Amino acid sequence: MTALATLAPEFASVPDSTLPGPLQRYRDNAAKAIAGMAMPTRRTENWKYSSRHLQLDTALAAPLAATGTISTDIGDAYRIVIRNGVIAADESRLPAIDGIEIVRFADLDEVNAQKIVEQLDGALDTAALQFAPLNSARLQDGLLVRLASNARLDKPLFVLCQTLAEHSGSAHPRILVDAGSHSELTLVEQHESQGDAPALVNAVTELNLAAGAQVTYVRLSLDGTTVNHIGATGVRLAANARFDSHCVGFGGPLRRHDLQIRLQEAGAECRLNGVTVTLGEQHYDNHTVIEHVAPHCNSEETYRCIAAGKSHAIFNGRILIHRDAQKSVAEMSNKNLLLSSEAEIDTKPELEIYADDVKCAHGATIGQLDAESLFYLVSRGIGRTEAGTLLSMAFINELVQQIPVESVKDAIEQRLIDFIETTFQEV
Amino acid sequence: MLSIKNLHAAIEGKEILKGIDLEVKPGEVHAIMGPNGSGKSTLSQVLAGNDSYEVTGGEVILDGKNLLEMETEERAREGVFLAFQYPVEIPGVSNLQFLKTALNSIRKHHGQNEINAVEFMKLAREKARQVNLDESFLKRGVNEGFSGGEKKRNEIMQMLLMEPKLAILDETDSGLDIDALKTVADGVNALRSPDRSVIMVTHYQRLLSYIVPDYVHVLAGGRIIKSGGRELALELEAKGYGWLGINETATAG
Ligand SMILES: Nc1ncnc2c1ncn2[C@@H]1O[C@H](COP(=O)(O)OP(=O)(O)O)[C@@H](O)[C@H]1O
Ligand SMILES: [Mg+2]
């Protein structure tokens, strides 16, 4: 038996940074903890399909050197850029609103840094997130978004996580959102990249929603074809808080997103929408967990995946209803569209229910384009590429149209159309 | 216009069309009648290019071109239009988007520029009105939740929009009340012209009182067993198919 592969020691090396003392200590402790960390394998249940895409050779351990910029038009919105894991403060456009703090970790004083350290990892189930500790160990900077009670951000906040991959290396963006009671926020976390060198992005975002807070979270995974992307989003909801997410992902060599939701107090609700598309040899792995901890919480999850070429899409949706979570309502649906006979889709709903008075529904399907519909369109003169694209878009359109930021919705819709069109032209 | 010679076609290895011959000249309207299961829809689908049917013999020439060698979309662009017996529902693709894409594909094929959104809306509204479909149908998914009659009118609306040179109507009359039947007939008559032809598949003669055909053919067991003028339809109505030696129940499908 061969020894388990471990993460190269270079990954545990501490990067240069000017973090305040408590955060430096947090990072150093994490670095110690990951030394010798075993890499997930085929036999690691939650990495079963993705471990073979993990090719984290030592070249990826180097921090990416920040050069250049990606100009992204975000329309009328607030913006902050995290370039290669470090906040580019001069490119930010931030609100001046009472009760809203948007601060980089590097700028925190010791007292505030200590508070952050106490919060960090609190919204994550780190046992199921093998790479979150690596993010902590490689912390160079981080973004804190804090809303006081009743504070409301009037426009979406875009966090542009930019990866500039002229040379190999990795970036570990970190975001912490602290939404006070009855506060309101729309956050767009957009991952994008430039450059052709193999790179690793290992992003962690945590959101803590106090009672009655409402957060809309749009997560766009748009990294380029040489970027390996591992991302985790952890969310904790207090009483009557509401979390809506819209995760749209385009395939890549390695694409992984873990979304962990904990409905901790009565009346909390979440609605999770997800769309992923893959082609060629690409890969996309979504793992979601919704935990109903308290009674009277609702969750609704709808994920759609389209896989073309020889690509591979994975959806693993777990719903865990604790013993005390009576009157929980949980609905989960995952529908998948295979555009080629060589593409692969694995879908696995996992329900664990320990309360007896709950309403729980789930469904998963895998299908192909309907030949009759395709013939109908083509018989009207519509070319096969266009007809296939129309039908594929119809499969995900309902979710795309729900993206609440108009400019994002339009841009993503076009991007999806272009992407899907290429899958039909490949044939 | 259209010349079908000794056409044979099969589905799932089963031969359905067993040697069809049919000549359609510009401006003519041909009615094809016949019992259930005789192959009327098969003929319509084969002409439109449905590749779940396998053509096992014969030829079809459209204005000098080999129709059977043309891709499905190319046939439509060249002016072949099939009004489906059972139009499919496509939720998520709006009728408007569908019609506009289709029309532009055809225009592009003829070297015309794309129709702009405003012009298209005007045209689509006009055609919808012509078949008594409320404008709201344009915004719905293609045939999504349409009643049987609404689907048929939607087919005719598409035909009016695309102005085909050869329209094939597969039982567009069945399941329609008398008003809808007149609407459909008005639509077809509006399109009639010396350079357009129509093949009208029907089960009943009643449509033929509104759209007067030049020829009537009886299709049975995958062959045209009798052809004549419009009086043949009246005769069929009066006597049924029995006098032609067809046992209608045995071929029902
Ligand atoms: N998809 C199919 N698979 C097998 N047999 C079929 C299929 N479609 C039609 N048929 C058969 O072909 C014959 C002709 O059908 P069709 O062309 O629909 O007749 P019509 O339109 O005249 O009623 C029938 O016997 C029918 O059962
Ligand atoms: Mg039929």
Side-chain angles (χ1 to χ4, degrees):
Chain A
M1 200 175 142
T2 54
L4 281 182
T6 54
L7 195 64
E10 288 85 345
F11 279 97
S13 72
V14 170
D16 291 344
S17 74
T18 53
L19 287 173
L23 279 160
Q24 277 190 33
R25 286 190 290 280
Y26 164 82
R27 183 191 63 191
D28 296 347
N29 286 336
K32 273 178 218 138
I34 66 153
M37 169 186 142
M39 295 285 281
T41 68
R42 225 156 24 85
R43 280 181 287 277
T44 313
E45 186 54 33
N46 67 343
W47 275 86
K48 187 159 104 182
Y49 298 109
S50 298
S51 55
R52 70 191 169 87
H53 295 272
L54 274 173
Q55 278 148 1
L56 305 186
D57 52 62
T58 52
L60 295 179
L64 285 163
T67 50
T69 181
I70 303 170
S71 59
T72 299
D73 181 18
I74 57 159
D76 186 23
Y78 300 117
R79 172 176 65 193
I80 192 145
V81 176
I82 304 183
R83 177 156 311 118
N84 295 338
V86 179
I87 291 168
D90 51 333
E91 291 165 47
S92 305
R93 187 159 74 224
L94 295 178
I97 298 177
D98 277 351
I100 298 181
E101 261 180 285
I102 299 176
V103 195
R104 46 187 298 199
F105 285 5
D107 289 345
L108 290 169
D109 61 29
E110 296 267 329
V111 175
N112 270 306
Q114 183 53 40
K115 280 190 197 157
I116 294 307
V117 167
E118 281 155 22
Q119 268 194 316
L120 281 176
D121 301 324
L124 306 173
D125 172 14
T126 42
L129 296 173
Q130 287 85 342
F131 290 90
L134 176 62
N135 174 286
S136 305
R138 298 302 298 270
L139 195 69
Q140 278 179 283
D141 202 350
L143 177 68
L144 170 66
V145 178
R146 187 182 276 149
L147 284 80
S149 294
N150 299 308
R152 180 179 167 273
L153 197 61
D154 56 339
K155 290 180 232 175
L157 172 66
F158 277 66
V159 181
L160 300 175
C161 298
Q162 304 189 335
T163 300
L164 294 170
E166 274 91 58
H167 308 286
S168 277
S170 53
H172 304 265
R174 184 88 184 210
I175 302 169
L176 177 64
V177 175
D178 196 0
S181 58
H182 301 282
S183 62
E184 281 176 45
L185 167 72
T186 296
L187 178 73
V188 181
E189 179 182 324
Q190 174 162 329
H191 293 271
E192 51 191 14
S193 75
Q194 198 170 275
D196 300 325
L200 168 69
V201 174
N202 175 34
V204 174
T205 298
E206 293 179 74
L207 302 108
N208 294 296
L209 280 63
Q214 296 195 24
V215 173
T216 298
Y217 176 65
V218 180
R219 188 179 198 278
L220 307 173
S221 184
L222 314 177
D223 284 323
T225 53
T226 58
V227 175
N228 299 283
H229 184 114
I230 300 170
T233 304
V235 190
R236 293 281 189 271
L237 288 87
N240 301 314
R242 177 169 178 114
F243 179 75
D244 284 277
S245 73
H246 304 265
C247 297
V248 182
F250 293 78
L254 167 66
R255 291 282 186 277
R256 168 72 179 229
H257 184 226
D258 281 83
L259 178 56
Q260 299 180 332
I261 311 286
R262 245 176 99 94
L263 305 167
Q264 303 200 117
E265 290 177 10
E269 305 189 303
C270 69
R271 192 179 60 182
L272 316 179
N273 286 351
V275 172
T276 67
V277 288
T278 54
L279 59 70
E281 308 262 324
Q282 289 176 349
H283 166 271
Y284 209 110
D285 183 350
N286 275 306
H287 268 66
T288 69
V289 181
I290 302 171
E291 257 187 276
H292 286 251
V293 180
H296 295 283
C297 292
N298 291 350
S299 67
E300 194 185 323
E301 178 172 26
T302 315
Y303 268 62
R304 301 268 158 95
C305 312
I306 301 180
K310 295 178 179 169
S311 66
H312 190 182
I314 298 125
F315 173 81
N316 192 293
R318 180 160 174 247
I319 296 177
L320 172 56
I321 301 186
H322 289 237
R323 208 185 51 187
D324 295 336
Q326 300 295 358
K327 306 282 179 196
S328 291
V329 178
E331 275 173 44
M332 173 167 58
S333 152
N334 170 234
K335 291 187 185 166
N336 300 283
L337 178 62
L338 278 171
L339 292 182
S340 114
S341 55
E342 288 177 290
E344 182 179 337
I345 290 178
D346 290 283
T347 171
K348 186 173 168 202
E350 289 182 76
L351 273 71
E352 279 177 62
I353 302 172
Y354 299 103
D356 46 28
D357 185 12
V358 302
K359 268 196 216 152
C360 209
H362 70 98
T365 60
I366 301 179
Q368 287 161 288
L369 286 184
D370 177 48
E372 221 186 312
S373 303
L374 203 55
F375 174 61
Y376 190 75
L377 297 181
V378 174
S379 81
R380 295 298 184 247
I382 299 174
R384 286 183 191 268
T385 293
E386 220 166 344
T389 305
L390 276 173
L391 291 179
S392 302
M393 284 304 291
F395 182 75
I396 52 177
N397 215 9
E398 191 191 331
L399 295 180
V400 175
Q401 295 312 318
Q402 284 176 36
I403 295 173
V405 183
E406 196 75 14
S407 62
V408 172
K409 186 191 80 187
D410 293 346
I412 285 297
E413 184 174 6
Q414 192 54 52
R415 204 174 169 122
L416 286 164
I417 290 172
D418 294 345
F419 185 94
I420 290 167
E421 253 175 25
T422 60
T423 73
F424 287 98
Q425 282 152 357
E426 268 186 346
V427 184
Chain B
M1 166 81 55
L2 186 76
S3 168
I4 304 175
K5 290 208 172 78
N6 196 28
L7 181 65
H8 290 252
I11 185 153
E12 288 166 10
K14 181 172 132 199
E15 187 166 62
I16 309 291
L17 301 184
K18 299 171 180 166
I20 303 268
D21 291 283
L22 184 66
E23 288 289 330
V24 180
K25 297 210 170 60
E28 288 178 354
V29 174
H30 289 242
I32 295 182
M33 305 184 73
N36 275 331
S38 58
K40 304 183 298 294
S41 291
T42 303
L43 176 62
S44 309
Q45 297 274 328
V46 166
L47 293 178
N50 186 340
D51 54 21
S52 19
Y53 297 86
E54 189 194 353
V55 175
T56 49
E59 63 168 26
V60 181
I61 305 294
L62 175 78
D63 284 338
K65 291 184 191 161
N66 185 342
L67 186 78
L68 299 177
E69 276 185 0
M70 287 157 70
E71 295 288 345
T72 308
E73 61 269 35
E74 212 183 324
R75 299 181 195 197
R77 294 169 189 171
E78 285 287 324
V80 177
F81 179 92
L82 168 63
F84 284 67
Q85 182 175 5
Y86 304 110
V88 43
E89 297 196 18
I90 312 181
V93 178
S94 83
N95 223 357
L96 263 182
Q97 188 183 16
F98 161 58
L99 297 170
K100 188 161 173 257
T101 311
L103 186 62
N104 278 329
S105 305
I106 293 170
R107 290 174 66 101
K108 201 169 151 204
H109 180 74
H110 294 289
Q112 295 165 305
N113 53 5
E114 289 203 352
I115 187 164
N116 71 42
V118 178
E119 242 181 293
F120 175 75
M121 266 317 289
K122 220 177 110 198
L123 192 66
R125 281 203 190 104
E126 180 196 315
K127 302 301 181 193
R129 212 175 305 124
Q130 212 175 328
V131 296
N132 280 325
L133 268 186
D134 188 84
E135 232 181 270
S136 61
F137 283 90
L138 294 170
K139 299 210 175 76
R140 285 166 57 176
V142 175
N143 295 318
E144 188 183 357
F146 289 23
S147 73
E150 286 158 357
K151 283 179 185 165
K152 300 295 174 99
R153 280 183 278 158
N154 197 25
E155 294 292 289
I156 296 302
M157 178 182 67
Q158 293 171 44
M159 182 189 75
L160 292 171
L161 204 61
M162 290 166 203
E163 304 182 321
K165 64 183 180 195
L166 174 67
I168 305 161
L169 312 181
D170 189 1
E171 296 208 31
T172 305
D173 54 333
S174 47
L176 296 185
D177 62 29
I178 199 72
D179 288 332
L181 188 72
K182 280 184 188 156
T183 303
V184 164
D186 288 347
V188 176
N189 287 326
L191 201 78
R192 278 182 88 161
S193 80
D195 51 2
R196 288 185 215 286
S197 312
V198 179
I199 295 177
M200 220 165 24
V201 171
T202 178
H203 210 62
Y204 313 100
Q205 102 86 27
R206 64 175 193 160
L207 178 67
L208 307 182
S209 335
Y210 297 101
I211 310 171
V212 180
D214 300 297
Y215 298 96
V216 175
H217 310 275
V218 179
L219 183 64
R223 288 190 188 89
I224 290 177
I225 57 159
K226 192 165 179 63
S227 296
R230 56 175 301 213
E231 67 289 346
L232 178 56
L234 296 167
E235 213 174 341
L236 282 172
E237 172 139 281
K239 303 190 198 165
Y241 291 104
W243 63 285
L244 290 169
I246 305 166
N247 179 349
E248 200 168 342
T249 49
T251 52

